[in-house]
Amino acid sequence: MNIIEKINRLKKERNAVILAHNYQLPEIQDIADYTGDSLGLSIEASQVKADVIVFCGVYFMAETAKILSPNKTVLIPAKNAGCPMADMINVEQLRDLKRRHPQAKVMCYVNSSAGVKAESDVCCTSANATMIAEKAFNEDDEIIFVPDRYLARYTATQVKRNFVFWPGFCPTHVKILPEYVIDLKKDHPEAEVLVHPECSAGVISIADQVLSTGGMSRYAKESKTRKFIIGTEKGMVYRLKKDNPDKEFYCASEFAICQNMKKTTLSKVISSLENMRGEVTLSEDIIKKARVSIDKMIEYTLAKKR
Ligand code: 13P
Ligand code: SF4
């Protein structure tokens, strides 16, 4: 029995589904039941019928799946796959910020711990930050936005809101420099530049579209353009090429690799399914409190689609 057959057999035995983020290794994306961005994965996790969710991504994503499906067993094959940006703010730091801005509401990027989500009024992802800021707050509200200062600044250019920034950032996306994009554009002048809002303002200023990874996926499929320069983590290029074999995708930076996203391997997926290893556990109290901010985000998102 080969490795894929083994995973499929284990999936059946455990009644499990495999969810994977767009930055996962190609072989992980290929065995996943669903591959997507943080928002898509959250919605998928909230609707899963299976007993077990094997989450191939980083820890805050698996935690979000557990918060949304508390009665399911959520396994993360690479338990040490953290998100350095999410670790840039902890609960104590957020509480301190709230004490210094007693009137402020808190909007947290999904790239944050369950504890930080539990202290927040509403959650957002890169796919819906502008819409959430617009719908959940008024122009005169003071809004603490944690932890990504780049997503916060980009959102502030899209909607008139009064943000208090936190100095977090993604160490992978800051490796994408405007000059890399400009050089690629010289070689491929007809290419459209799609970048993630975690990129610096300099990169965003020369982009044609600023999109979540799910947004990039949809945009590339629907656009008549055949060439794209992709300003996000390198794994996204695999996903785009796989879905659009007739189009060309150029990675804006070969250095933009999230090591944590690459920690999930096929053998770790097998081991976690075989031994039910890497279970995500959270206290009932944290699940209840963190769920409020995530549910609010999902409600706004689904209401917009209706
Ligand atoms: P997406 O939600 O756009 O997939 O982004 C997640 C992430 O961690 C980007 O670095
Ligand atoms: Fe976190 Fe950046 Fe990796 Fe995304 S790419 S998981 S924000 S470190």
Side-chain angles (χ1 to χ4, degrees):
M1 192 182 296
N2 72 27
I3 197 157
I4 310 293
E5 287 165 349
K6 197 164 178 187
I7 290 174
N8 285 334
R9 177 180 58 78
L10 284 164
K11 254 173 55 179
K12 215 178 255 172
E13 277 172 23
R14 300 290 191 197
N15 189 22
V17 285
I18 299 181
L19 306 186
H21 187 265
N22 287 323
Y23 298 159
Q24 288 289 290
L25 290 168
E27 58 272 30
I28 300 294
Q29 295 195 30
D30 290 347
I31 52 134
D33 296 290
Y34 176 87
T35 308
D37 66 359
S38 310
L39 181 65
L41 289 164
S42 302
I43 293 174
E44 199 64 26
S46 69
Q47 296 171 348
V48 147
K49 298 270 182 304
D51 298 320
V52 177
I53 298 172
V54 180
F55 205 103
C56 302
V58 291
Y59 203 77
F60 77 81
M61 295 179 176
E63 262 187 356
T64 306
K66 181 67 187 175
I67 293 163
L68 287 165
S69 279
N71 301 324
K72 313 273 178 195
T73 302
V74 177
L75 304 175
I76 176 160
K79 217 171 176 179
N80 63 346
C83 166
M85 182 213 280
D87 295 340
M88 287 179 191
I89 188 157
N90 61 32
V91 171
E92 261 325 299
Q93 289 168 312
L94 179 54
R95 284 186 182 152
D96 184 49
L97 196 58
K98 284 165 78 170
R99 276 192 289 271
R100 286 188 277 130
H101 297 270
Q103 304 303 327
K105 311 252 173 60
V106 182
M107 178 166 171
C108 68
Y109 189 22
V110 70
N111 295 40
S112 55
S113 66
V116 164
K117 289 185 178 81
E119 290 282 328
S120 301
D121 294 290
V122 67
C123 184
C124 72
T125 75
S126 60
N128 58 23
T130 300
M131 183 271 288
I132 298 285
E134 196 165 24
K135 293 266 187 301
F137 304 107
N138 297 314
E139 237 177 88
D140 45 2
D141 285 337
E142 192 181 22
I143 310 160
I144 293 173
F145 190 114
V146 293
D148 186 10
R149 66 167 180 252
Y150 291 113
L151 177 62
R153 284 195 201 288
Y154 173 68
T155 307
T157 64
Q158 302 301 299
V159 58
K160 202 167 175 297
R161 290 292 178 269
N162 175 21
F163 290 114
V164 174
F165 300 101
W166 181 258
F169 65 95
C170 165
T172 302
H173 282 80
V174 294
K175 291 191 179 128
I176 303 169
L177 303 180
E179 46 267 40
Y180 300 158
V181 177
I182 293 165
D183 278 352
L184 275 167
K185 192 78 185 162
K186 278 184 197 143
D187 294 338
H188 308 284
E190 69 281 42
E192 269 195 271
V193 180
L194 314 185
V195 310
H196 197 275
E198 286 176 18
C199 289
S200 69
V203 171
I204 286 180
S205 71
I206 51 173
D208 294 304
Q209 301 291 334
V210 182
L211 298 162
S212 70
T213 64
M216 287 182 190
S217 213
R218 279 186 297 278
Y219 188 86
K221 211 175 275 178
E222 287 160 14
S223 168
K224 289 199 170 46
T225 307
R226 287 203 61 259
K227 289 189 181 186
F228 300 89
I229 295 165
I230 302 300
T232 191
E233 206 273 344
K234 203 178 166 195
M236 187 63 205
V237 172
Y238 173 76
R239 168 81 206 263
L240 290 166
K241 283 185 176 164
K242 184 176 165 184
D243 291 351
N244 306 278
D246 55 328
K247 298 189 178 183
E248 290 172 33
F249 299 92
Y250 303 96
C251 184
S253 171
E254 292 300 317
F255 306 114
I257 296 173
C258 176
Q259 297 302 341
N260 285 286
M261 281 285 183
K262 312 302 176 195
K263 286 181 177 165
T264 312
T265 58
L266 288 177
S267 50
K268 282 187 192 158
V269 171
I270 291 188
S271 159
S272 101
L273 270 170
E274 226 160 26
N275 310 304
M276 297 300 277
R277 203 161 42 213
E279 183 170 358
V280 175
T281 53
L282 288 167
S283 74
E284 265 181 45
D285 183 49
I286 286 286
I287 289 181
K288 207 169 133 213
K289 288 184 182 146
R291 191 161 179 149
V292 175
S293 62
I294 305 172
D295 274 350
K296 226 182 257 176
M297 169 183 80
I298 294 181
E299 259 167 50
Y300 283 122
T301 306
L302 296 181
K304 193 172 172 265
K305 280 189 182 159
R306 264 179 232 129

PDB file of all heavy atoms in Angstrom, residues 79-106:
ATOM      1  N   LYS A  79       2.721  19.959  15.348  1.00  0.00           N
ATOM      2  CA  LYS A  79       2.253  20.746  16.493  1.00  0.00           C
ATOM      3  C   LYS A  79       3.132  21.972  16.765  1.00  0.00           C
ATOM      4  O   LYS A  79       2.687  22.944  17.365  1.00  0.00           O
ATOM      5  CB  LYS A  79       2.166  19.857  17.747  1.00  0.00           C
ATOM      6  CG  LYS A  79       0.964  20.263  18.585  1.00  0.00           C
ATOM      7  CD  LYS A  79       0.630  19.368  19.727  1.00  0.00           C
ATOM      8  CE  LYS A  79      -0.538  20.001  20.501  1.00  0.00           C
ATOM      9  NZ  LYS A  79      -0.989  19.242  21.617  1.00  0.00           N
ATOM     10  N   ASN A  80       4.381  21.914  16.286  1.00  0.00           N
ATOM     11  CA  ASN A  80       5.287  23.054  16.507  1.00  0.00           C
ATOM     12  C   ASN A  80       5.241  24.072  15.372  1.00  0.00           C
ATOM     13  O   ASN A  80       6.114  24.928  15.266  1.00  0.00           O
ATOM     14  CB  ASN A  80       6.729  22.571  16.728  1.00  0.00           C
ATOM     15  CG  ASN A  80       7.267  21.863  15.488  1.00  0.00           C
ATOM     16  OD1 ASN A  80       6.504  21.511  14.586  1.00  0.00           O
ATOM     17  ND2 ASN A  80       8.571  21.658  15.430  1.00  0.00           N
ATOM     18  N   ALA A  81       4.217  23.977  14.506  1.00  0.00           N
ATOM     19  CA  ALA A  81       4.106  24.943  13.408  1.00  0.00           C
ATOM     20  C   ALA A  81       3.381  26.184  13.914  1.00  0.00           C
ATOM     21  O   ALA A  81       2.154  26.263  13.880  1.00  0.00           O
ATOM     22  CB  ALA A  81       3.357  24.321  12.224  1.00  0.00           C
ATOM     23  N   GLY A  82       4.153  27.141  14.394  1.00  0.00           N
ATOM     24  CA  GLY A  82       3.543  28.370  14.908  1.00  0.00           C
ATOM     25  C   GLY A  82       3.494  29.431  13.821  1.00  0.00           C
ATOM     26  O   GLY A  82       3.929  29.217  12.694  1.00  0.00           O
ATOM     27  N   CYS A  83       2.948  30.582  14.172  1.00  0.00           N
ATOM     28  CA  CYS A  83       2.991  31.735  13.261  1.00  0.00           C
ATOM     29  C   CYS A  83       3.705  32.848  14.020  1.00  0.00           C
ATOM     30  O   CYS A  83       3.161  33.366  14.998  1.00  0.00           O
ATOM     31  CB  CYS A  83       1.578  32.168  12.873  1.00  0.00           C
ATOM     32  SG  CYS A  83       1.533  33.800  12.081  1.00  0.00           S
ATOM     33  N   PRO A  84       4.926  33.196  13.592  1.00  0.00           N
ATOM     34  CA  PRO A  84       5.675  34.221  14.321  1.00  0.00           C
ATOM     35  C   PRO A  84       4.905  35.540  14.465  1.00  0.00           C
ATOM     36  O   PRO A  84       5.038  36.209  15.483  1.00  0.00           O
ATOM     37  CB  PRO A  84       6.938  34.421  13.478  1.00  0.00           C
ATOM     38  CG  PRO A  84       7.056  33.197  12.638  1.00  0.00           C
ATOM     39  CD  PRO A  84       5.675  32.642  12.460  1.00  0.00           C
ATOM     40  N   MET A  85       4.087  35.871  13.476  1.00  0.00           N
ATOM     41  CA  MET A  85       3.313  37.111  13.614  1.00  0.00           C
ATOM     42  C   MET A  85       2.291  36.990  14.754  1.00  0.00           C
ATOM     43  O   MET A  85       2.138  37.903  15.569  1.00  0.00           O
ATOM     44  CB  MET A  85       2.573  37.446  12.321  1.00  0.00           C
ATOM     45  CG  MET A  85       1.804  38.752  12.431  1.00  0.00           C
ATOM     46  SD  MET A  85       0.313  38.769  11.489  1.00  0.00           S
ATOM     47  CE  MET A  85       0.944  39.111   9.884  1.00  0.00           C
ATOM     48  N   ALA A  86       1.594  35.849  14.811  1.00  0.00           N
ATOM     49  CA  ALA A  86       0.599  35.648  15.873  1.00  0.00           C
ATOM     50  C   ALA A  86       1.265  35.743  17.255  1.00  0.00           C
ATOM     51  O   ALA A  86       0.660  36.208  18.224  1.00  0.00           O
ATOM     52  CB  ALA A  86      -0.089  34.298  15.692  1.00  0.00           C
ATOM     53  N   ASP A  87       2.528  35.309  17.330  1.00  0.00           N
ATOM     54  CA  ASP A  87       3.240  35.337  18.619  1.00  0.00           C
ATOM     55  C   ASP A  87       3.740  36.733  18.989  1.00  0.00           C
ATOM     56  O   ASP A  87       4.354  36.909  20.040  1.00  0.00           O
ATOM     57  CB  ASP A  87       4.438  34.371  18.572  1.00  0.00           C
ATOM     58  CG  ASP A  87       3.972  32.933  18.431  1.00  0.00           C
ATOM     59  OD1 ASP A  87       2.794  32.656  18.745  1.00  0.00           O
ATOM     60  OD2 ASP A  87       4.780  32.089  17.990  1.00  0.00           O
ATOM     61  N   MET A  88       3.522  37.718  18.097  1.00  0.00           N
ATOM     62  CA  MET A  88       4.023  39.070  18.391  1.00  0.00           C
ATOM     63  C   MET A  88       3.132  39.841  19.359  1.00  0.00           C
ATOM     64  O   MET A  88       3.455  40.968  19.716  1.00  0.00           O
ATOM     65  CB  MET A  88       4.237  39.861  17.096  1.00  0.00           C
ATOM     66  CG  MET A  88       5.457  39.379  16.326  1.00  0.00           C
ATOM     67  SD  MET A  88       5.688  40.294  14.802  1.00  0.00           S
ATOM     68  CE  MET A  88       6.948  39.273  14.013  1.00  0.00           C
ATOM     69  N   ILE A  89       1.974  39.262  19.712  1.00  0.00           N
ATOM     70  CA  ILE A  89       1.192  39.886  20.800  1.00  0.00           C
ATOM     71  C   ILE A  89       0.630  38.783  21.680  1.00  0.00           C
ATOM     72  O   ILE A  89       0.184  37.750  21.179  1.00  0.00           O
ATOM     73  CB  ILE A  89       0.060  40.804  20.270  1.00  0.00           C
ATOM     74  CG1 ILE A  89      -0.578  41.559  21.454  1.00  0.00           C
ATOM     75  CG2 ILE A  89      -0.997  40.047  19.485  1.00  0.00           C
ATOM     76  CD1 ILE A  89      -1.289  42.833  21.087  1.00  0.00           C
ATOM     77  N   ASN A  90       0.699  39.002  23.003  1.00  0.00           N
ATOM     78  CA  ASN A  90       0.077  38.029  23.904  1.00  0.00           C
ATOM     79  C   ASN A  90      -1.059  38.696  24.677  1.00  0.00           C
ATOM     80  O   ASN A  90      -1.291  39.903  24.556  1.00  0.00           O
ATOM     81  CB  ASN A  90       1.119  37.369  24.821  1.00  0.00           C
ATOM     82  CG  ASN A  90       1.814  38.378  25.713  1.00  0.00           C
ATOM     83  OD1 ASN A  90       1.224  39.382  26.117  1.00  0.00           O
ATOM     84  ND2 ASN A  90       3.080  38.135  26.015  1.00  0.00           N
ATOM     85  N   VAL A  91      -1.754  37.889  25.470  1.00  0.00           N
ATOM     86  CA  VAL A  91      -2.949  38.384  26.164  1.00  0.00           C
ATOM     87  C   VAL A  91      -2.609  39.565  27.079  1.00  0.00           C
ATOM     88  O   VAL A  91      -3.320  40.584  27.097  1.00  0.00           O
ATOM     89  CB  VAL A  91      -3.606  37.226  26.958  1.00  0.00           C
ATOM     90  CG1 VAL A  91      -4.717  37.733  27.859  1.00  0.00           C
ATOM     91  CG2 VAL A  91      -4.146  36.182  25.985  1.00  0.00           C
ATOM     92  N   GLU A  92      -1.504  39.466  27.811  1.00  0.00           N
ATOM     93  CA  GLU A  92      -1.131  40.545  28.736  1.00  0.00           C
ATOM     94  C   GLU A  92      -0.871  41.851  27.989  1.00  0.00           C
ATOM     95  O   GLU A  92      -1.284  42.933  28.425  1.00  0.00           O
ATOM     96  CB  GLU A  92       0.117  40.141  29.546  1.00  0.00           C
ATOM     97  CG  GLU A  92      -0.217  39.634  30.935  1.00  0.00           C
ATOM     98  CD  GLU A  92      -1.417  40.353  31.564  1.00  0.00           C
ATOM     99  OE1 GLU A  92      -1.335  41.578  31.749  1.00  0.00           O
ATOM    100  OE2 GLU A  92      -2.433  39.697  31.864  1.00  0.00           O
ATOM    101  N   GLN A  93      -0.188  41.747  26.860  1.00  0.00           N
ATOM    102  CA  GLN A  93       0.103  42.959  26.069  1.00  0.00           C
ATOM    103  C   GLN A  93      -1.198  43.591  25.543  1.00  0.00           C
ATOM    104  O   GLN A  93      -1.331  44.815  25.542  1.00  0.00           O
ATOM    105  CB  GLN A  93       1.033  42.617  24.900  1.00  0.00           C
ATOM    106  CG  GLN A  93       2.450  42.297  25.355  1.00  0.00           C
ATOM    107  CD  GLN A  93       3.270  41.691  24.231  1.00  0.00           C
ATOM    108  OE1 GLN A  93       2.837  40.770  23.536  1.00  0.00           O
ATOM    109  NE2 GLN A  93       4.476  42.209  24.046  1.00  0.00           N
ATOM    110  N   LEU A  94      -2.133  42.735  25.129  1.00  0.00           N
ATOM    111  CA  LEU A  94      -3.403  43.283  24.638  1.00  0.00           C
ATOM    112  C   LEU A  94      -4.193  43.920  25.779  1.00  0.00           C
ATOM    113  O   LEU A  94      -4.759  45.011  25.629  1.00  0.00           O
ATOM    114  CB  LEU A  94      -4.223  42.179  23.939  1.00  0.00           C
ATOM    115  CG  LEU A  94      -5.590  42.598  23.403  1.00  0.00           C
ATOM    116  CD1 LEU A  94      -5.493  43.823  22.475  1.00  0.00           C
ATOM    117  CD2 LEU A  94      -6.269  41.458  22.652  1.00  0.00           C
ATOM    118  N   ARG A  95      -4.202  43.258  26.939  1.00  0.00           N
ATOM    119  CA  ARG A  95      -4.926  43.844  28.084  1.00  0.00           C
ATOM    120  C   ARG A  95      -4.335  45.192  28.458  1.00  0.00           C
ATOM    121  O   ARG A  95      -5.057  46.135  28.775  1.00  0.00           O
ATOM    122  CB  ARG A  95      -4.867  42.896  29.287  1.00  0.00           C
ATOM    123  CG  ARG A  95      -5.810  41.722  29.109  1.00  0.00           C
ATOM    124  CD  ARG A  95      -5.863  40.876  30.361  1.00  0.00           C
ATOM    125  NE  ARG A  95      -6.733  39.733  30.144  1.00  0.00           N
ATOM    126  CZ  ARG A  95      -6.616  38.570  30.749  1.00  0.00           C
ATOM    127  NH1 ARG A  95      -5.642  38.386  31.639  1.00  0.00           N
ATOM    128  NH2 ARG A  95      -7.452  37.597  30.498  1.00  0.00           N
ATOM    129  N   ASP A  96      -3.020  45.284  28.403  1.00  0.00           N
ATOM    130  CA  ASP A  96      -2.345  46.535  28.732  1.00  0.00           C
ATOM    131  C   ASP A  96      -2.753  47.633  27.728  1.00  0.00           C
ATOM    132  O   ASP A  96      -3.050  48.766  28.120  1.00  0.00           O
ATOM    133  CB  ASP A  96      -0.825  46.295  28.716  1.00  0.00           C
ATOM    134  CG  ASP A  96      -0.068  47.520  29.145  1.00  0.00           C
ATOM    135  OD1 ASP A  96      -0.432  48.087  30.187  1.00  0.00           O
ATOM    136  OD2 ASP A  96       0.860  47.932  28.411  1.00  0.00           O
ATOM    137  N   LEU A  97      -2.787  47.269  26.455  1.00  0.00           N
ATOM    138  CA  LEU A  97      -3.194  48.225  25.408  1.00  0.00           C
ATOM    139  C   LEU A  97      -4.637  48.681  25.638  1.00  0.00           C
ATOM    140  O   LEU A  97      -4.967  49.865  25.486  1.00  0.00           O
ATOM    141  CB  LEU A  97      -3.054  47.531  24.045  1.00  0.00           C
ATOM    142  CG  LEU A  97      -3.040  48.380  22.781  1.00  0.00           C
ATOM    143  CD1 LEU A  97      -1.917  49.408  22.817  1.00  0.00           C
ATOM    144  CD2 LEU A  97      -2.842  47.477  21.551  1.00  0.00           C
ATOM    145  N   LYS A  98      -5.487  47.740  26.038  1.00  0.00           N
ATOM    146  CA  LYS A  98      -6.893  48.085  26.303  1.00  0.00           C
ATOM    147  C   LYS A  98      -7.002  49.044  27.500  1.00  0.00           C
ATOM    148  O   LYS A  98      -7.829  49.951  27.498  1.00  0.00           O
ATOM    149  CB  LYS A  98      -7.716  46.810  26.566  1.00  0.00           C
ATOM    150  CG  LYS A  98      -8.033  46.043  25.282  1.00  0.00           C
ATOM    151  CD  LYS A  98      -8.516  44.639  25.529  1.00  0.00           C
ATOM    152  CE  LYS A  98      -9.944  44.532  25.955  1.00  0.00           C
ATOM    153  NZ  LYS A  98     -10.408  43.109  25.947  1.00  0.00           N
ATOM    154  N   ARG A  99      -6.139  48.833  28.503  1.00  0.00           N
ATOM    155  CA  ARG A  99      -6.152  49.749  29.663  1.00  0.00           C
ATOM    156  C   ARG A  99      -5.758  51.155  29.230  1.00  0.00           C
ATOM    157  O   ARG A  99      -6.283  52.135  29.735  1.00  0.00           O
ATOM    158  CB  ARG A  99      -5.176  49.239  30.744  1.00  0.00           C
ATOM    159  CG  ARG A  99      -5.811  48.183  31.661  1.00  0.00           C
ATOM    160  CD  ARG A  99      -4.945  47.922  32.893  1.00  0.00           C
ATOM    161  NE  ARG A  99      -3.724  47.194  32.553  1.00  0.00           N
ATOM    162  CZ  ARG A  99      -3.619  45.863  32.517  1.00  0.00           C
ATOM    163  NH1 ARG A  99      -4.668  45.108  32.812  1.00  0.00           N
ATOM    164  NH2 ARG A  99      -2.483  45.276  32.208  1.00  0.00           N
ATOM    165  N   ARG A 100      -4.830  51.219  28.258  1.00  0.00           N
ATOM    166  CA  ARG A 100      -4.368  52.537  27.797  1.00  0.00           C
ATOM    167  C   ARG A 100      -5.368  53.204  26.836  1.00  0.00           C
ATOM    168  O   ARG A 100      -5.278  54.382  26.570  1.00  0.00           O
ATOM    169  CB  ARG A 100      -2.976  52.418  27.156  1.00  0.00           C
ATOM    170  CG  ARG A 100      -1.898  52.206  28.239  1.00  0.00           C
ATOM    171  CD  ARG A 100      -0.506  52.279  27.692  1.00  0.00           C
ATOM    172  NE  ARG A 100      -0.110  50.998  27.109  1.00  0.00           N
ATOM    173  CZ  ARG A 100       0.408  50.855  25.901  1.00  0.00           C
ATOM    174  NH1 ARG A 100       0.579  51.907  25.131  1.00  0.00           N
ATOM    175  NH2 ARG A 100       0.754  49.667  25.452  1.00  0.00           N
ATOM    176  N   HIS A 101      -6.284  52.399  26.287  1.00  0.00           N
ATOM    177  CA  HIS A 101      -7.322  52.936  25.376  1.00  0.00           C
ATOM    178  C   HIS A 101      -8.677  52.411  25.851  1.00  0.00           C
ATOM    179  O   HIS A 101      -9.295  51.566  25.186  1.00  0.00           O
ATOM    180  CB  HIS A 101      -7.049  52.486  23.935  1.00  0.00           C
ATOM    181  CG  HIS A 101      -5.766  53.003  23.381  1.00  0.00           C
ATOM    182  ND1 HIS A 101      -5.664  54.200  22.702  1.00  0.00           N
ATOM    183  CD2 HIS A 101      -4.506  52.494  23.434  1.00  0.00           C
ATOM    184  CE1 HIS A 101      -4.409  54.401  22.351  1.00  0.00           C
ATOM    185  NE2 HIS A 101      -3.685  53.385  22.779  1.00  0.00           N
ATOM    186  N   PRO A 102      -9.144  52.886  27.014  1.00  0.00           N
ATOM    187  CA  PRO A 102     -10.327  52.270  27.631  1.00  0.00           C
ATOM    188  C   PRO A 102     -11.604  52.337  26.795  1.00  0.00           C
ATOM    189  O   PRO A 102     -12.504  51.516  26.995  1.00  0.00           O
ATOM    190  CB  PRO A 102     -10.485  53.041  28.951  1.00  0.00           C
ATOM    191  CG  PRO A 102      -9.624  54.246  28.824  1.00  0.00           C
ATOM    192  CD  PRO A 102      -8.572  53.962  27.823  1.00  0.00           C
ATOM    193  N   GLN A 103     -11.670  53.291  25.854  1.00  0.00           N
ATOM    194  CA  GLN A 103     -12.902  53.398  25.033  1.00  0.00           C
ATOM    195  C   GLN A 103     -12.816  52.521  23.777  1.00  0.00           C
ATOM    196  O   GLN A 103     -13.802  52.387  23.053  1.00  0.00           O
ATOM    197  CB  GLN A 103     -13.114  54.854  24.557  1.00  0.00           C
ATOM    198  CG  GLN A 103     -13.165  55.898  25.659  1.00  0.00           C
ATOM    199  CD  GLN A 103     -14.246  55.602  26.673  1.00  0.00           C
ATOM    200  OE1 GLN A 103     -15.309  55.064  26.334  1.00  0.00           O
ATOM    201  NE2 GLN A 103     -13.965  55.899  27.927  1.00  0.00           N
ATOM    202  N   ALA A 104     -11.640  51.996  23.490  1.00  0.00           N
ATOM    203  CA  ALA A 104     -11.424  51.337  22.196  1.00  0.00           C
ATOM    204  C   ALA A 104     -12.065  49.955  22.108  1.00  0.00           C
ATOM    205  O   ALA A 104     -12.199  49.247  23.107  1.00  0.00           O
ATOM    206  CB  ALA A 104      -9.927  51.219  21.930  1.00  0.00           C
ATOM    207  N   LYS A 105     -12.471  49.600  20.867  1.00  0.00           N
ATOM    208  CA  LYS A 105     -12.915  48.223  20.575  1.00  0.00           C
ATOM    209  C   LYS A 105     -11.705  47.510  19.980  1.00  0.00           C
ATOM    210  O   LYS A 105     -10.774  48.160  19.502  1.00  0.00           O
ATOM    211  CB  LYS A 105     -14.042  48.241  19.542  1.00  0.00           C
ATOM    212  CG  LYS A 105     -15.169  49.223  19.864  1.00  0.00           C
ATOM    213  CD  LYS A 105     -16.394  48.458  20.294  1.00  0.00           C
ATOM    214  CE  LYS A 105     -17.515  49.323  20.807  1.00  0.00           C
ATOM    215  NZ  LYS A 105     -18.058  50.296  19.900  1.00  0.00           N
ATOM    216  N   VAL A 106     -11.759  46.174  19.973  1.00  0.00           N
ATOM    217  CA  VAL A 106     -10.591  45.433  19.468  1.00  0.00           C
ATOM    218  C   VAL A 106     -10.966  44.589  18.255  1.00  0.00           C
ATOM    219  O   VAL A 106     -11.900  43.796  18.291  1.00  0.00           O
ATOM    220  CB  VAL A 106      -9.976  44.522  20.561  1.00  0.00           C
ATOM    221  CG1 VAL A 106      -8.734  43.808  20.025  1.00  0.00           C
ATOM    222  CG2 VAL A 106      -9.638  45.315  21.811  1.00  0.00           C
TER     223      VAL A 106
END
